[in-house]
Structures are given as C-alpha cells and as structure tokens.
Amino acid sequence: MLTKGTVMRRIWERIAVAVSAVVAVVGAFVGSGAAGGTPIQDAAGGALSASSTAIAPDGPAFSIWSVVYVGLMAYAVRQCFRTADDARHARLTVPAVLSLLLNAAWILSVQFDFLWLSEPIIVALLAVLVWAFVLLRRSRPSGIVEAIVTDGTFGLYLGWVCVATAANTAAVLAAAGYRGSGLSQDVWGVVVALVAGVVGVLVAVWGRGRLAPTASLAWGLAWVAVARVDGPLVSVPTAVAAVVAAAAAVVVTLVARVRTAAPSGAAAAGAAGAAGAAEAGRVSR
C-alpha cells in the first residue's frame, strides 16, 4: 500500500517532467530562430554548420529533433497519467528531467556564443541518456504505446546525441584552434565516424537489438556522408566511413534483434509442446 508521502512524490515527479518538457520545447523554439534567436547552425560563428568540420552532418539531419521533441512531449503527457505505483516511470523521472533541462542549456550556451560551455553540457546529456537507456533496458514496456512513446523516444534521443556529441566536440576543438596534431581532416573524419559506428554496434548488442537508437545514429551518419560529398567541405574517405559505420550498426542491430527474439519463440514453442504432450497424456489415460 502506498503512503501519502509516496503519492505526493509521484505527483511532483509528473509535474517536474511536464515543466521540464515545456522548457526544452521553448528552448528548441528559440534555437530554431523562430523566436528571434539565431538558428543553431548559424550561431557561435557557424561553428556547428555543415561545413565546420569533417564530422558535421548536413542541415536536414537536424530535422530529427522535431521527432524527438514530439516524442518527449508525448512522454510528458503519458507519464502524467501513470499510476502511483508505476516503478518504471518513477525510476526514469530524474534522468528524463535532467535530459530535458540539459537540452535547453545546450541550446542557450550556443545561442549566447559560449561554445566551450556546450561541450560539458552535451557530454552530460549523453551520460544522462545512457543512464535512461540502462533503466529502460531493465524492464519491458507495458504495451505498444509505452514502447513507442517512452522507449522509442529516448532511444532516438540517445542515438542522435551520440552523433551530436561527436560533431559538437569537433566543432569546439576547431574553434579553439586545434589542427589535428598533424593528421589530416580526412583521417580525423574517418576515425570519428568509425568510433561512432563502434558505439552504435555496442548499443545494438547491449540493447538486444533496439531499433530506435540505431535508427537515429544511422540517420546522423548518413547525413554526415551527404555533407562530405555534396557541400563545401568534401571528404570522400569520411563519407565512406560514415556509410560503413551506419551499415554496421544497422546490420548488428537486426542480428541482435533476431537472436533475442529466437529464444523467446523457442521457449513459447517448447511450452506449447509440453502443454500438448500433457493434454495427450490425459487423453490417453
């Protein structure tokens, strides 16, 4: 039986998520330039534009934020109607709130030309999303709505922020005057793209083939490839590495998903067979 204190805490958790979601969406509105601010790709002297570094994705890649924000708002609404004893959502409250506030903070840091500050913020955001992914991985969603709104949204969020963190780090280093320690931009582009692919493979294996993180990570890498063959900063090696990395993440995700589903199917078939054998035994007796 839930105590009054527990019920009140659950209510405040819902309010915190809802308010944080509004803050994040308002921040996104400002970051788009619609409220008089400078679009993110043009802010901070264009440090995050498609031509800033070899790992920067092309402009259309950022449209995925619209999907993520819609998902986050849907999640905020969904968790407002959860039951007081919903432990899964209760565990997710803190990382969800932190991710929303860090998202807004990252936008503001870029808008006010504090590019150096954007780096620890986006790294913290990535860590928080990994935390959320760990919590969601521990239990299954209660249904298709939960799987899409909660697991799907935070999965997309994580995969995209993996790519965004790599692009942001490269932009911060370039703005600070780092020139690659003697290595060419092509080499660094290939290395970072392949590292992103390795991260995608690890997430695929550890997440047992969850589709959402891979979908957004592959989306980001695909637009990195587009930017490197059709833009002012051409790097064919980086484009090839980005495509290979995205393909590897997708293939490993599908394999992991099939392997995860296979034991469940075998168990179900085994249970059905045992039940049939037992029924046949009763009939024979």
Side-chain angles (χ1 to χ4, degrees):
M1 182 177 180
L2 296 173
T3 64
K4 183 178 179 180
T6 301
V7 173
M8 289 303 299
R9 185 171 69 252
R10 296 292 188 257
I11 292 174
W12 281 111
E13 288 172 352
R14 298 171 196 177
I15 293 174
V17 172
V19 171
S20 300
V22 172
V23 170
V25 171
V26 170
F29 187 66
V30 172
S32 69
T38 306
I40 289 296
Q41 62 268 27
D42 299 326
L48 297 172
S49 67
S51 59
S52 60
T53 68
I55 202 64
D58 205 1
F62 295 93
S63 63
I64 195 173
W65 274 121
S66 299
V67 180
V68 172
Y69 283 126
V70 169
L72 289 172
M73 291 302 294
Y75 162 74
V77 173
R78 163 73 180 83
Q79 64 88 38
C80 282
F81 296 96
R82 65 184 170 94
T83 59
D85 60 347
D86 189 338
R88 193 171 196 254
H89 277 277
R91 288 193 297 268
L92 190 60
T93 297
V94 174
V97 169
L98 288 176
S99 73
L100 291 164
L101 295 179
L102 285 168
N103 192 319
W106 181 83
I107 291 173
L108 290 175
S109 68
V110 176
Q111 282 288 323
F112 287 100
D113 290 338
F114 293 131
L115 189 62
W116 61 269
L117 184 58
S118 71
E119 184 62 15
I121 292 174
I122 200 168
V123 170
L125 175 58
L126 179 59
V128 166
L129 290 174
V130 170
W131 179 15
F133 187 74
V134 169
L135 294 177
L136 290 174
R137 179 180 173 275
R138 291 176 180 173
S139 59
R140 290 184 174 276
S142 58
I144 186 65
V145 173
E146 173 77 359
I148 294 173
V149 170
T150 303
D151 296 64
T153 295
F154 280 95
L156 286 175
Y157 202 0
L158 172 61
W160 171 247
V161 170
C162 285
V163 177
T165 301
N168 196 87
T169 302
V172 170
L173 290 174
Y178 181 66
R179 295 295 177 260
S181 298
L183 297 178
S184 69
Q185 195 155 220
D186 284 347
V187 172
W188 276 114
V190 169
V191 169
V192 175
L194 293 180
V195 168
V198 170
V199 170
V201 168
L202 292 175
V203 170
V205 173
W206 188 60
R208 303 189 187 100
R210 298 203 175 197
L211 298 176
T214 299
S216 55
L217 185 139
W219 167 269
L221 288 173
W223 282 107
V224 169
V226 170
R228 299 291 74 78
V229 297
D230 186 25
L233 180 56
V234 174
S235 174
V236 174
T238 301
V240 172
V243 170
V244 169
V250 170
V251 170
V252 173
T253 297
L254 295 177
V255 171
R257 192 169 184 83
V258 169
R259 294 185 65 178
T260 299
S264 299
E279 180 64 25
R282 283 195 296 271
V283 171
S284 65
R285 289 196 295 270

